[in-house]
Amino acid sequence: MSNCAIVGINWGDEGKGRMVDLLTEHYDVVVRYQGGGNAGHTVINEHGTFALHLLPSGIFRNGVVNILGNGVALDPENLWTEIQSVMDQGVSITPENLKISDRASLLLPWHRDLDELEENRLRNKKFGSTKQGIAPFYSDKYQKKTILAGELFYPDEFKKHLLDLMEWKNLTLTNVYHAPAYTMNMLDQWIIEFCDKIKPFICDTGAFLKDAQREGKNILFEAQLGSLRDLDYGIFPYTTSSNTIAAYAPIGSGLPSANISDVVGVVKAYSTCVGEGPFVCELFGDEAEALRKAGFEYGAKTGRPRRVGPIDLVATRYGVEVQAATEIALTKLDVLSYMERIPVCTQYLLGGEPTDRFPFPAALDHAKPIIEYMPGWNCDISSIRNWNDLPTEAKDYVTFIEKAIDCPISYVSVGPERDSIIIRK
Ligand code: GDP
């Protein structure tokens, strides 16, 4: 049996979905352990192109059981819409290959409203939320003001619980934000349209995972976003509201006894960042536009142009540490093929001194990138499948990163398709 977590090392959008889609070949179970529908994993395979938000990326493999663990923000409306859209593209989704933890908390309709109302209140001080209700959801979860998915099996208690929460939340909606109140009629509609639809998928996934562990099955833990967005270890307050790091996988998946032997950290060959917050190595102007276009860096959920920059070795080294990554998948190397010379952020300048250490979040605004340049390879590498066939400059770029972050790069991805990969082990 082997357990593996696939996690983002940087700000998210590193290409985790494409790595999970590739590696599920070796796994029996894929579990999402945190986050909600606020980001997207793009997967391209024989079924087509998919932007997954909540569904685990193992959903395309026959025989793989996909689980949404207790740590996710379970939005019945988003999930049901996503299930239907993926099924419309010919993928079978049944209670056999998708199981939802009965201990996952439900993201309630007002969470999305509150996200939007608060971002509007903040105006130009906003955080760049995707307005999917994630922050209000997690704060309510920790206040014990959400409902567990399994409560749907106890309809009378469920309704009463929901009514209590609605009365409580209406106080904030109407008195603080002067927004309309919810009524039970509105919530009845939400139950019928979405909750009842996902109910057949809800079960005791903790028991399922424990059995799978006992039977020696291989389990893959799939993260959303990256180290720098982790609530405790990221660039707070520009983080997400959950723990994105691999150490949280046993808790958020429903298998607290999981021993994760392999942590595959996904690193993009350059940097991107969505939303607000410090981004030390950010490029601007034509240089940024060229990289954004080459990498098609527009958000999978929002379509927003992503902020771009050279690979940031200071942030990446920190990301590798907090993820306790055992190996690295370096993605999108092909995107850099157009560059004559490739910028690399090797250190930060902070208080006039160069530093290798990722600073405390509030100090990031004062950090400046120290940039070195490496020679480009200036040819198309997207059809290369063997390490030795890569141009020397490309190999040098990869090994330079590997040395700087002190973690073996086992996979080099040269295209979005499942087989556009160079395996180095
Ligand atoms: P995730 O959230 O970490 O799964 O990342 P996203 O799906 O948001 O972003 C990764 C994007 O890059 C997707 O559009 C992928 O199809 C694409 N992608 C992944 N790996 C590669 C690669 O090696 N080369 C290229 N050109 N695109 C890639």
Side-chain angles (χ1 to χ4, degrees), residues 13-18 40-42 306 332 334-335 413-416:
D13 305 316
E14 297 94 345
K16 295 173 294 295
R18 120 356 130 263
H41 291 176
T42 310
R306 292 176 182 151
K332 300 191 101 166
D334 54 303
V335 171
S413 173
V414 290

Side-chain angles (χ1 to χ4, degrees), residues 156-169:
D156 293 341
E157 290 85 348
F158 179 86
K159 277 264 183 87
K160 190 176 169 311
H161 194 175
L162 192 58
L163 178 65
D164 287 347
L165 292 179
M166 182 192 81
E167 284 172 357
W168 171 74
K169 194 53 89 177

Side-chain angles (χ1 to χ4, degrees), residues 104-413:
S105 287
L106 296 183
L107 187 142
L108 300 165
W110 45 75
H111 290 136
R112 229 170 292 132
D113 299 340
L114 285 164
D115 218 346
E116 176 135 28
L117 289 163
E118 180 57 11
E119 281 284 286
N120 292 344
R121 189 190 70 81
L122 287 165
R123 292 173 198 236
N124 57 358
K125 290 195 206 146
K126 66 186 191 314
F127 285 93
S129 162
T130 54
K131 298 179 186 165
Q132 296 297 309
I134 303 300
F137 163 83
Y138 277 109
S139 43
D140 278 2
K141 174 174 169 173
Y142 281 86
Q143 284 198 76
K144 301 163 288 175
K145 299 282 194 187
T146 53
I147 298 188
L148 299 184
E151 290 180 57
L152 280 164
F153 295 110
Y154 305 88
D156 293 341
E157 290 85 348
F158 179 86
K159 277 264 183 87
K160 190 176 169 311
H161 194 175
L162 192 58
L163 178 65
D164 287 347
L165 292 179
M166 182 192 81
E167 284 172 357
W168 171 74
K169 194 53 89 177
N170 277 343
L171 295 174
T172 309
L173 284 167
T174 57
N175 294 329
V176 177
Y177 292 106
H178 310 293
Y182 272 84
T183 63
M184 213 48 213
N185 271 349
M186 292 157 82
L187 295 178
D188 282 340
Q189 205 54 32
W190 172 75
I191 296 171
I192 294 166
E193 270 183 55
F194 305 112
C195 298
D196 286 348
K197 300 290 189 343
I198 63 163
K199 201 166 150 185
F201 300 93
I202 299 170
C203 62
D204 183 352
T205 55
F208 177 88
L209 283 167
K210 218 181 272 164
D211 287 346
Q213 188 181 43
R214 209 172 292 123
E215 290 161 21
K217 297 260 169 73
N218 297 325
I219 303 171
L220 185 65
F221 301 88
E222 178 180 13
Q224 179 217 37
L225 296 168
S227 321
L228 303 173
R229 300 292 188 195
D230 182 274
L231 180 61
D232 288 272
Y233 294 93
I235 50 171
F236 189 86
Y238 297 98
T239 59
T240 194
S241 302
S242 63
N243 290 105
T244 60
I245 61 169
Y248 186 73
I251 299 171
S253 65
L255 191 63
S257 58
N259 178 11
I260 301 174
S261 47
D262 191 15
V263 178
V264 180
V266 186
V267 175
K268 206 183 273 191
Y270 52 94
S271 302
T272 61
C273 167
V274 176
E276 312 297 321
F279 184 39
V280 174
C281 64
E282 183 164 12
L283 288 173
F284 298 93
D286 291 349
E287 220 183 333
E289 198 44 38
L291 182 52
R292 188 175 297 120
K293 267 207 185 121
F296 197 69
E297 294 299 347
Y298 303 90
K301 181 81 193 178
T302 57
R304 285 189 290 191
R306 292 176 182 151
R307 299 159 74 191
V308 298
I311 192 162
D312 180 336
L313 295 178
V314 183
T316 304
R317 200 179 304 111
Y318 175 74
V320 167
E321 267 168 34
V322 297
Q323 292 287 11
T326 55
E327 57 182 325
I328 297 294
L330 185 72
T331 61
K332 300 191 101 166
L333 188 66
D334 54 303
V335 171
L336 302 183
S337 299
Y338 76 95
M339 289 186 179
E340 294 281 329
R341 53 180 203 157
I342 304 176
V344 177
C345 171
T346 50
Q347 287 183 304
Y348 290 171
L349 198 61
L350 193 62
E353 295 290 326
T355 180
D356 292 324
R357 289 191 58 162
F358 193 67
F360 183 76
L364 281 166
D365 282 337
H366 306 283
K368 299 270 174 284
I370 296 177
I371 303 289
E372 290 179 28
Y373 288 89
M374 297 201 61
W377 44 91
N378 291 123
C379 63
D380 182 7
I381 57 168
S382 58
S383 55
I384 293 177
R385 299 291 174 264
N386 292 310
W387 172 250
N388 287 333
D389 296 339
L390 276 176
T392 308
E393 295 83 355
K395 284 194 280 198
D396 287 349
Y397 183 72
V398 175
T399 47
F400 181 79
I401 295 169
E402 186 172 60
K403 194 156 172 252
I405 62 176
D406 194 23
C407 192
I409 297 179
S410 315
Y411 303 92
V412 178
S413 173

Side-chain angles (χ1 to χ4, degrees), residues 17-35:
R18 120 356 130 263
M19 287 310 299
V20 179
D21 180 59
L22 175 78
L23 296 178
T24 41
E25 194 183 349
H26 312 291
Y27 290 86
D28 305 296
V29 183
V30 178
V31 199
R32 270 280 308 267
Y33 59 87
Q34 47 75 230

